[in-house]
Each structure stands twice: as C-alpha cells, then as structure tokens.
Amino acid sequence: MGQLRPWTNVSMALLAAGILLGGQPAVAVAAPKPVPPIPTVTEAVTSKLLGQAERSATSSAAAEQTRITVSRQDGRWAFGTAVAVAPRTKDAHPTGAVFIARADAGRWQVAFDGEAAFSALAAESPLVTERERQVFGTSPAPMLAGGDYRTGMALPFAVGQTWTLTGGPHGWGGGAPYSSVDLSGGDQVVRAARGGTAYTMCQGWIRVIHDRGYSTDYYHLWSSISVNGAAVGEGAYLGYTGTDVTCGGSATGRHVHFGLRQNSAYVAIAGHGIGKWEIVAGAAYQGGARHGSAWAGIGGGVYNYGALGFNQAVVDANGGGTLTRRSGPGSGYGSLGSVGDGATVTISCSANGTSHTGRYGTTALWNRLSDGSWVSDAYLWTGVNGPVNGWC
C-alpha cells in the first residue's frame, strides 16, 4: 500500500467546499436546530395575559408582575386565574381573567372568560363543575347584546338599602370605556349583583361570571371571600367596602369599585339597568343614575330596588307625576287609572298605536301590562328600544 500523503491547504479547501478526495461530493450535515422548549401552562397563560394588558390602558405589566394561579389541573387540562398587577397609582387597576387551558400536541390552548373558546373548552373540560358549565355554556351575546342593555342585576349591596354614589362612570383604570362606578355606605357589605359563579382574582378583588356573557368585578374589598368557582346567588356576601390595593391602583376612602364586563372586556356601564337605575355617563367620575324621573348625581343616594326583570319596565313620566293606563294602544282609548313615576310594571306584549314623545324620543309603541291595561313606551325605561316580550 502506498504512503498516505499529508493534507495540503488545497485539499483542506476542497473539503471545506464540499468536495472529498477522489472528486466525490460530500454530504453536508447541518447542525441540528435547537428544539424550543415546550411552554408550561403558566408561561402560555402569561403570554396571553400580557397581550391583553398591552391592549389596555389599565396596566403595563411585565411577566414578573403577573400572578397566575392554577387552581385545578388534571393531565392535559388546567383552570385558574391570571392577573396583571397594576402600579399603585391613581386610575390604575389590575387586569385579569379566569382561564381554561388544554394541552394539544405539546402546546397549550388558552381561553379567557367571556371568549367563545372559553365556552367551548368548558363544555369538554373535566375540571369544570356542572354549575359552571351552565353559566359558561351560555353563548356570549354580541357586545351589549345587540343594543339590549338589560342585565337582570341589582346594585352590589342589600336590596332596600341606600348607598352613596361616590364616583360616576369611569374606566376600570381611568380611561375608556367607562365601565365602573364607586359606591359606599349602608352596612358596607358588598354583595353579588346577580347570580353566577365567583372567583377570587387576588386579595380584595372578586369576579362573578353571569349569563349572557356578562361578568361583574368588585375591587378594594376588605375580608373578601376566597372562592374558586363557588355558585353564588344575587345578594351573596362578597366582602366589605375597603381600600385594598393588593393588585395595584389606589383608594383614598373605603368603597367598592364596581365594574361591568361582557365577552372578556370591560364595557361602558352607561345605559345599563342596575338595581332599576339607568346609569348615565358624564365626564370621568361624573354623571349619575336615573330611576324614573328621579336623579342621583355624585354624592347622591341610590336605593337598591332589586333587579329589573327582562319583561319589566320602570315608569318614567319625564318630570314626575303619573302615567295614564288605557284600555287599548292609544290615547283615544278609555282611562283605566294611572301608575306613578318610578313604579315597576310587567309587560305582556306590545303593539303600535298613537305616537308620543318622552325622555328618549318619539315612538308609536305601546305596551300591554300584566293587568290588561296599556301604556305608551315613550314613558317606560326597559333597556331596549323596542318590544321586550313580543307583539300582541
């Protein structure tokens, strides 16, 4: 066998160019690309939460300022709460969500409460209770339910009490939408505005998820309950008004910061019926609430009349007094008596009749009440611009 020749600079160059001795091309073997690590459920939820926070004016949280609590986990399923902590400054409030996550092909699919995907995952998840499934399974309605401002909610304190409206409609974190109001007084016990399932987002912050895509937030609470999907009815104890800012923001006096959400986002509370009051917006923290012709501005008292039924209305005689009840859908029909401003009436069905002008404009719509009499819709507040219980 002949003597092997030593490597030369030329042969080394040829090898580097992919040519082996003998003129045969070399098979280039690329270094394997590093496989990115599979994210944990905490990392997946954090990523989604921070994306939501970036779209909100309420928080500029980084990953180290998030609190992800996995309260339930079983194999490829996880359930819990996710909070982005806000700075402790005025008009800052934390953002957060209840989440369901499912591992698929090494990746976590994460959905937040109010999203359509949340309802879909809840229907399959073994971690969700039957009561939760009933609430989550309600398909989220279009935002503001397509112009339907009925909530079926009472005010967040005991029916029959009067509290002070210390802050009119303002943002959850100061900016739009003006989703929240501040309330204080009475026995200072904060209660669920409507039945649903309750979750402790962080100390002092409770969220209750309701039907129709709605949820309500209660912040600054003292002695708040610790819950993980507990079923609560309207009026259930949630905590006391307070000044807790564990997850950020500020509070100069004890109160509850009461916020309205729908479909995974805060929505303007103005126009909605809460405790038989229509919330009215103004500049931030201004505005007020109206019950019939009665007005409560900042510093005024709001009496909790309880929830307005979805087929009910509050009489608004547009200045006080009474509203005439007729035997048919028009002013030419005989009088059957009257009903006072601010009274609650139940509507059986509706029909068109003579036109009248009330606080919100002119309409020919008349409503037949449960006692058989008729009143013009111009003098009723229902939360809907149209029939609430079908046509007669």
Side-chain angles (χ1 to χ4, degrees):
M1 183 168 56
Q3 182 179 9
L4 292 176
R5 291 177 295 174
W7 289 100
T8 66
N9 290 336
V10 174
S11 59
M12 291 292 290
L14 290 173
L15 182 62
I19 305 298
L20 288 176
L21 295 179
Q24 297 302 315
V27 178
V29 180
K33 294 182 179 180
V35 178
I38 297 174
T40 66
V41 64
T42 297
E43 291 169 338
V45 174
T46 299
S47 177
K48 181 176 176 68
L49 176 66
L50 292 179
Q52 183 185 75
E54 288 174 1
R55 296 188 296 272
S56 169
T58 66
S59 175
S60 58
E64 65 271 15
Q65 296 171 298
T66 59
R67 299 181 183 177
I68 312 301
T69 302
V70 181
S71 56
R72 312 172 205 170
Q73 189 163 10
D74 181 12
R76 54 196 288 262
W77 290 92
F79 186 99
T81 56
V83 173
V85 178
R88 293 197 176 188
T89 58
K90 183 181 179 182
D91 287 340
H93 282 80
T95 58
V98 177
F99 73 84
I100 298 176
R102 181 181 64 191
D104 289 315
R107 293 292 183 268
W108 287 96
Q109 179 186 356
V110 180
F112 287 168
D113 61 281
E115 297 176 337
F118 187 83
S119 299
L121 289 178
E124 301 178 34
S125 176
L127 304 178
V128 175
T129 67
E130 187 56 38
R131 170 60 179 165
E132 288 174 317
R133 215 181 307 277
Q134 291 173 4
V135 176
F136 301 160
T138 304
S139 298
M143 198 64 75
L144 306 185
D148 184 346
Y149 287 78
R150 296 174 295 177
T151 65
M153 296 179 190
L155 284 162
F157 52 88
V159 172
Q161 288 192 10
T162 298
W163 283 30
T164 301
L165 182 66
T166 57
H170 56 282
W172 182 253
Y178 290 171
S179 61
S180 311
V181 294
D182 294 335
L183 296 157
S184 184
D187 60 4
Q188 304 287 1
V189 176
V190 178
R191 301 181 181 276
R194 182 170 172 79
T197 56
Y199 303 85
T200 300
M201 304 302 292
C202 68
Q203 181 178 308
W205 179 13
I206 303 295
R207 174 169 297 170
V208 180
I209 300 177
H210 313 286
D211 53 7
R212 303 175 75 237
Y214 281 115
S215 61
T216 47
D217 280 6
Y218 312 75
Y219 193 41
H220 303 312
L221 304 185
W222 287 341
S223 302
S224 59
I225 58 177
S226 179
V227 283
N228 174 25
V232 296
E234 178 190 318
Y237 170 88
L238 301 179
Y240 287 95
T241 60
T243 57
D244 190 284
V245 290
T246 299
C247 281
S250 67
T252 55
R254 63 181 301 184
H255 67 281
V256 58
H257 183 83
F258 174 71
L260 183 67
R261 294 168 56 86
Q262 190 183 33
N263 299 357
S264 195
Y266 292 102
V267 293
I269 197 170
H272 287 88
I274 312 286
K276 297 186 181 178
W277 292 81
E278 179 206 2
I279 309 299
V280 181
Y285 293 94
Q286 299 305 304
R290 179 178 286 111
H291 174 80
S293 296
W295 171 259
I298 304 309
V302 285
Y303 179 87
N304 191 2
Y305 294 94
L308 185 69
F310 290 101
N311 64 339
Q312 291 185 319
V314 175
V315 175
D316 182 350
N318 198 13
T322 60
L323 175 63
T324 301
R325 298 183 294 110
R326 301 286 180 177
S327 59
S331 54
Y333 288 88
S335 172
L336 296 178
S338 62
V339 59
D341 183 85
T344 300
V345 295
T346 300
I347 297 171
S348 297
C349 56
S350 301
N352 286 318
T354 54
S355 293
H356 297 273
T357 301
R359 189 181 307 280
Y360 302 99
T362 302
T363 182
L365 188 68
W366 282 68
N367 297 305
R368 184 180 180 182
L369 305 184
S370 56
D371 63 3
S373 64
W374 292 78
V375 294
S376 169
D377 193 66
Y379 306 106
L380 298 181
W381 189 88
T382 61
V384 179
N385 185 21
V388 298
N389 204 18
W391 296 95
C392 296

